[in-house]
Structures are given as structure tokens and as C-alpha cells.
Amino acid sequence: MTDAPPSFELLPGAGHSPVILHVPHSARHIPDAVREGIVLGDEELARELDHITDAHTAEIAATAAGLAGVRPWRFVNRLSRLVVDPERFPDEREEMRAVGMGAVYTRTTHGDELRSEDVDTGPLVERYFLPYARAMTDAVADRLAATGRAVIVDVHSYPSRRLPYELHGQGPRPAVCLGTDPFHTPAALLDAARAAFGETELDTPFRGTYVPLEFHGTRPEVSALMVEIRRDTYMTEPGGPAGPGLRRLAAALAGLVDAVSR
């Protein structure tokens, strides 16, 4: 028996849809065996989850999928990013290692100890990170085989006020930040996102987007965009309930999905 739900889930969309809504940071669940390696008390951990979790983004993606004319696929992480962060590099390439937030976090959003600095990250990477990366690679390959292209839309959220861990948080904090990749984010995808969401900025306060390494920098048929939604536009911060803004943002995301599905 295990206390953990499936680590991730691929939720099918229309067979002719090239779009994958990727939701990596929406969950709060931490398996008991992983919890044992986290030094925070229960109340401290709950507060950290309030700050670090992209709350309600799975619901935003699900609502958008239901509203879209062409239903997108959804790849959803069912575990907290405090287990592993599937969007980090698991090695020295990851700049967030500087603040203890590589693939396996050792520091909190406020710089406090989360795990011992000398933790052996190998078992967590092997158990959770690598299967996730393989499954996401397979999902993209499946869309390429079915439609000739894949469009990854990363669905994230971020706090209205900068947290200490942010390396690039000194710039504007728009209602929606669009994270881009110079190779994988074409102008047409950006234009569609701007039309769908209205007030946006590029790569501030977060930059970049997720593309499985097998395709990164080599397959222009794989396009990608990170959508970072400022949390005060749809929920009570930190970690509180969603409000009416959720459906409005889901409708905007559905508009983006439909625009790039044609």
C-alpha cells in the first residue's frame, strides 16, 4: 500500500488537439515518506504550501478545457512541488539551486531550512522527477505524431508581492506574465495570448517556459508558453479560496487554446 496518489495524470483532450495544458505546481499533497525528510513543523509546512503552491491552477485548466471549442490535453502534477519540482533541471544547470530550489528544494520561499543541505536527492529524482519527465516527453511526442505539432501552455500563478526566493522579482508584476523561450515561443502564440488575456508583460517577474529536453532547441514544431497568473486576480492570498476571477481567467485561457488549435 502507498499513501500517495498517482504522481501525475494525463487527461485526454480531442484527438486533433495539439495543445497540452501543463499544470506542475497546483497540488499540496506530500507522501508520508517524503514528509519525513522535511524539517518544518506541520503549521510551518502549511504556511509554506500556501506560499509555494499555485493554488487552483488545476481548476483553471480544467474549466478552460471544458469551455474550449477544441478540448486540450492536460498534464497535471498530483504532488506538491516540495516533493520534486518537475520544471527544474536536476543538476548544476539550474539557477534556482542558488536559493536552495533546484529539482529538490532545501530552502523555503523565505530562505529557511526545508531539508538538510546534505540530503541525498537521488532517490527523489529517481522516484518522482524522471518518470514525470518521461511521461511529459511521451505526451508531447504523441501530439506530434497525431497532429504534426505540439503546443505546451504552462499554467502557473504567482504572488502579488515578491517573495524572498525570487531571483528576478524586481520588475513589473502584471495580471498575467507570459514566459517565453527564444526558440519555442513564436510570435503568433504570443499574439494569441495577448489577445486572450489583455494586460500582460513578457518574462517578468518569471521567465522561460517548459519544453521536454528531448525537443528543446531542436524541434520548432513544439511551441511553448508559460502563463503566470497573479494570484490576487482570482483568489485570496496566500492559499485562500478562489473567487469569481477564476472563471474569467479560465475563459481567457480557453480563448488562447482555441486560437492556437486552429
Side-chain angles (χ1 to χ4, degrees), residues 52-64:
I52 199 65
T53 304
D54 292 354
H56 313 296
T57 50
E59 183 181 353
I60 291 172
T63 303

Side-chain angles (χ1 to χ4, degrees), residues 32 36 51 84 157 177 208:
D32 288 345
E36 291 174 2
H51 288 299
V84 296
S157 70
C177 158

Side-chain angles (χ1 to χ4, degrees), residues 127-171:
R127 171 67 179 85
Y128 297 108
F129 184 94
L130 295 180
Y132 190 106
R134 286 193 292 267
M136 186 62 182
T137 299
D138 290 345
V140 173
D142 182 71
R143 291 301 84 210
L144 285 171
T147 72
R149 62 192 180 105
V151 183
I152 303 167
V153 179
D154 247 356
V155 184
H156 292 258
S157 70
Y158 76 99
S160 58
R161 293 188 178 186
R162 182 182 184 179
L163 291 174
Y165 82 95
E166 297 179 24
L167 292 179
H168 310 288
Q170 64 273 19

Side-chain angles (χ1 to χ4, degrees), residues 7 22-29 49-58 75-88 96 101-103 105 129 132 154-158 165 206 210 226-228 231 234:
S7 298
H22 181 218
V23 188
H25 295 157
S26 64
R28 293 175 67 101
H29 183 75
L49 286 167
D50 286 345
H51 288 299
I52 199 65
T53 304
D54 292 354
H56 313 296
T57 50
F75 194 104
V76 183
N77 189 5
R78 296 304 186 191
L79 299 181
S80 169
R81 64 197 289 190
L82 297 185
V83 179
V84 296
D85 190 331
E87 293 208 317
R88 304 283 200 245
M96 294 300 291
M101 289 187 166
Y105 295 179
F129 184 94
Y132 190 106
D154 247 356
V155 184
H156 292 258
S157 70
Y158 76 99
Y165 82 95
F206 296 94
Y210 179 80
M226 179 170 66
V227 176
E228 285 270 7
R231 291 177 191 155
Y234 73 91

Side-chain angles (χ1 to χ4, degrees), residues 176 178 186-202 225 227 248-260 262:
V176 176
L178 302 177
L189 179 53
L190 274 180
D191 289 345
R194 288 179 174 123
F197 288 105
E199 182 200 339
T200 62
E201 296 278 355
L202 297 186
L225 180 73
V227 176
R248 175 182 58 80
L249 286 158
L253 181 59
L256 171 61
V257 168
D258 284 340
V260 300
R262 301 188 185 106

Side-chain angles (χ1 to χ4, degrees), residues 13 40 56 87 102 124 185 188 215:
L40 301 180
H56 313 296
E87 293 208 317
L124 289 173
T185 309
F215 310 107

